[in-house]
Amino acid sequence: MAAVAELSFLLFALINNIHAEERIIIANESDSFTYSLPEEADSCLISRFVGEEMLVLWNTSALWSQNSTAPEDLKQRLSVVSRDNISSYMIQNLTHSDSGQYQEKCWGNVTYERNITIIVCSMINRRKHIQVTGGETVDLPCEGAADNLDIQWLKSDSEYEDEIWTRVFGDSVTSVMDDVEGRSQEVKTSSGLRIYNLTLTRIKYYNCLLMNQQQCVSSHPVELDLPFELILHTVGETAVLQCPAAEFTDNQPPVWKKFSGTSYNSEVGKNYSLVLSSLQLNHSNFYSCQIYNHVQWYHLVVCPKSGPPAVELFSEGDNVTFRCRGWEEGRRPHWFIKSNQTEDRFLYLYDSTSHLKSRLNISKDDGLLILSNVSLEDTGEYWCVVYGPDTQCVSSSRTVLKSREPSGMDFTLYTVRSSLLPGLLVILCVVVVAVNQRTRRGEQRPAQTDS
């Protein structure tokens, strides 16, 4: 298991008399949960629902007083940290008994109220990534589902590491739900989640909880990754990003945005093409073009200028080793390929859809990439991009992989030349022999004397 992760949630802009809203926090057993006092609130009252009854757990302004209503077991696991005049309350060593619905009421300059459901699971599995495209039907698996366990599907729009979840289906009876992301339906035979006509404008997270009555056995998170195209350039060049929608009007032009902070909220253009000239390293970013319901994503990577490419020759079946220039220990190289097979687009070699993945081996100790059983389809440019701690490109290098054997039209010409060459050599030899013989006869003929 990973190190104990502190689950925290971020409080957004506070508005007077906010209506209560349920948010779901998923925690691992023995982990901790942190509640942060809102900046503009003087104190808060934390309560818990037990059936229809609401029990007051603690008042932040009188937590340690003798009249505190906080349960003794909770007090022993509760710690308070103050930073920048904001207090945070951490409940440590969570157990299944901490699962339930809590209510937070805060007052001061604002009135704040929110319902939070904490679900403590025995196991939280590694997040599964699924790459999707808009308009398709997607089946999300619920791994480990069994007939004797109940299933709960959750979703999150959060772009933070610690997501706050909501229920896909509003109640236990409904198993079909329509929303802006498409039509969701639980597949009874597999407990999976099927989403029809998927529409995505941001990364989406789902989570399948396996429940034994009211106790969470395991959590199975799934991330829907939006497809994006990698654009690789060097400093000083010009990048042109194309919005794929060919038709648009002045009333609804495409909108270009780039990643800023935690979301794509920085608008950078409204034309069919986004032109970025005289590129600098800080132009590296994620960009999106949205028109109607279609979104195209790009990842622009700008690297320092590099030297000329290296050339590797191969015969079919060989093993080829690529060296990453500029690599140094502690930095992991990222390898990409650009070839006719990829329509001159850069593709990440370790992508799950790459036809090369099963034949690749990356050495972390010396930055080498080894490609085994090479074929003609593997020809192209192999790029190594090295990222620094701030995710900016610090160096790049490329290797052109070429076959020793000619192919295509060159192969045809090579074959013709190869077949004609022996005949030409025979003819040349005959000519040379004939010339030599004629020359010898001329030398042997007696010279004529003058009369």
Side-chain angles (χ1 to χ4, degrees):
M1 298 297 295
V4 174
E6 175 184 325
L7 293 176
S8 62
F9 61 89
L10 300 179
L11 300 178
F12 300 98
L14 301 176
I15 306 175
N16 288 330
N17 299 321
I18 296 181
H19 295 291
E21 178 185 11
E22 183 193 22
R23 295 297 181 94
I24 300 174
I25 305 294
I26 301 174
N28 206 12
E29 195 175 14
S30 76
D31 278 359
S32 60
F33 170 77
T34 300
Y35 165 71
S36 298
L37 187 69
E39 184 177 358
E40 300 183 41
D42 296 331
S43 60
C44 296
L45 193 68
I46 311 300
S47 305
R48 178 176 178 178
F49 290 93
V50 180
E52 298 295 330
E53 185 180 2
M54 186 174 69
L55 302 178
V56 176
L57 293 183
W58 80 77
N59 187 329
T60 59
S61 60
L63 177 59
W64 308 113
S65 69
Q66 294 182 350
N67 298 326
S68 173
T69 58
E72 197 61 34
D73 170 66
L74 186 60
K75 271 189 177 183
Q76 294 176 0
R77 294 186 291 128
L78 195 63
S79 60
V80 182
V81 178
S82 296
R83 181 180 298 174
D84 299 329
N85 296 324
I86 300 177
S87 297
S88 298
Y89 298 82
M90 179 187 295
I91 303 176
Q92 299 174 329
N93 298 322
L94 290 171
T95 66
H96 286 291
S97 61
D98 294 315
S99 298
Q101 186 178 6
Y102 296 77
Q103 184 183 77
E104 307 164 357
K105 283 187 177 181
C106 302
W107 56 90
N109 294 333
V110 296
T111 300
Y112 179 86
E113 180 178 329
R114 178 155 62 181
N115 292 335
I116 291 180
T117 297
I118 298 178
I119 300 178
V120 180
C121 297
S122 301
M123 179 184 297
I124 296 181
N125 289 272
R126 184 186 299 272
R127 180 180 296 165
K128 184 181 182 65
H129 290 261
I130 298 179
Q131 191 171 86
V132 296
T133 56
E136 68 176 359
T137 296
V138 179
D139 284 307
L140 308 184
C142 185
E143 298 180 356
D147 295 336
N148 61 333
L149 297 178
D150 296 325
I151 305 299
Q152 289 188 18
W153 275 101
L154 308 178
K155 62 182 178 180
S156 175
D157 294 321
S158 174
E159 294 175 355
Y160 300 97
E161 181 178 357
D162 300 321
E163 296 87 5
I164 299 176
W165 303 89
T166 58
R167 302 182 192 278
V168 174
F169 309 113
D171 52 64
S172 59
V173 178
T174 304
S175 61
V176 178
M177 179 65 65
D178 292 311
D179 58 22
V180 295
E181 301 296 351
R183 181 181 179 87
S184 302
Q185 181 178 11
E186 185 175 336
V187 182
K188 295 296 183 182
T189 56
S190 63
S191 299
L193 183 68
R194 177 169 295 164
I195 306 175
Y196 298 90
N197 193 25
L198 180 69
T199 301
L200 284 177
T201 57
R202 62 174 68 94
I203 298 174
K204 191 79 171 181
Y205 307 92
Y206 288 87
N207 204 326
C208 177
L209 300 183
L210 304 185
M211 308 290 295
N212 186 0
Q213 296 181 355
Q214 299 300 317
Q215 183 171 305
C216 177
V217 177
S218 59
S219 163
H220 300 266
V222 179
E223 178 177 330
L224 302 188
D225 293 333
L226 294 168
F228 63 85
E229 182 174 342
L230 179 79
I231 307 294
L232 187 58
H233 280 283
T234 57
V235 170
E237 294 180 343
T238 298
V240 181
L241 311 183
Q242 301 286 351
C243 192
E247 297 181 1
F248 57 88
T249 64
D250 293 336
N251 295 331
Q252 190 173 5
V255 177
W256 286 94
K257 293 184 179 181
K258 73 174 182 178
F259 190 80
S260 177
T262 58
S263 62
Y264 293 84
N265 57 9
S266 179
E267 187 174 312
V268 292
K270 288 189 174 182
N271 294 321
Y272 177 72
S273 300
L274 178 65
V275 180
L276 303 172
S277 57
S278 301
L279 289 173
Q280 301 300 317
L281 295 178
N282 59 8
H283 280 105
S284 297
N285 212 322
F286 286 90
Y287 296 83
S288 69
C289 173
Q290 181 173 355
I291 181 170
Y292 303 109
N293 291 326
H294 189 89
V295 181
Q296 174 67 44
W297 302 75
Y298 292 96
H299 183 196
L300 175 63
V301 179
V302 182
C303 293
K305 293 184 178 179
S306 59
V311 177
E312 283 286 342
L313 301 178
F314 74 93
S315 297
E316 289 205 58
D318 285 352
N319 295 340
V320 177
T321 300
F322 301 93
R323 299 184 180 275
C324 185
R325 288 172 289 174
W327 174 87
E328 61 184 53
E329 189 174 357
R331 294 177 177 175
R332 184 176 179 179
H334 292 252
W335 290 90
F336 302 89
I337 183 175
K338 181 181 180 182
S339 68
N340 292 333
Q341 298 292 323
T342 63
E343 299 176 349
D344 283 337
R345 294 182 296 120
F346 288 96
L347 293 185
Y348 182 48
L349 284 182
Y350 257 63
D351 189 273
S352 58
T353 59
S354 174
H355 70 285
L356 300 174
K357 184 177 179 181
S358 62
R359 297 185 285 120
L360 291 174
N361 182 31
I362 294 180
S363 174
K364 299 180 180 179
D365 298 329
D366 47 21
L368 299 180
L369 172 71
I370 302 173
L371 177 61
S372 60
N373 195 21
V374 180
S375 67
L376 292 176
E377 293 183 352
D378 301 332
T379 57
E381 296 181 0
Y382 288 75
W383 287 73
C384 176
V385 177
V386 180
Y387 295 100
D390 56 356
T391 69
Q392 270 197 350
C393 175
V394 295
S395 68
S396 68
S397 58
R398 61 188 173 118
T399 302
V400 179
L401 183 62
K402 293 184 176 181
S403 172
R404 289 191 179 92
E405 306 295 336
S407 60
M409 181 61 70
D410 292 337
F411 180 77
T412 303
L413 295 176
Y414 173 82
T415 303
V416 172
R417 288 197 301 267
S418 299
S419 60
L420 291 179
L421 185 58
L424 292 175
L425 290 176
V426 172
I427 295 174
L428 181 60
C429 291
V430 171
V431 171
V432 171
V433 171
V435 171
N436 287 338
Q437 289 179 347
R438 179 172 297 181
T439 301
R440 290 174 182 175
R441 287 197 298 267
E443 292 177 348
Q444 295 175 356
R445 182 179 301 168
Q448 293 180 358
T449 56
D450 295 335
S451 54

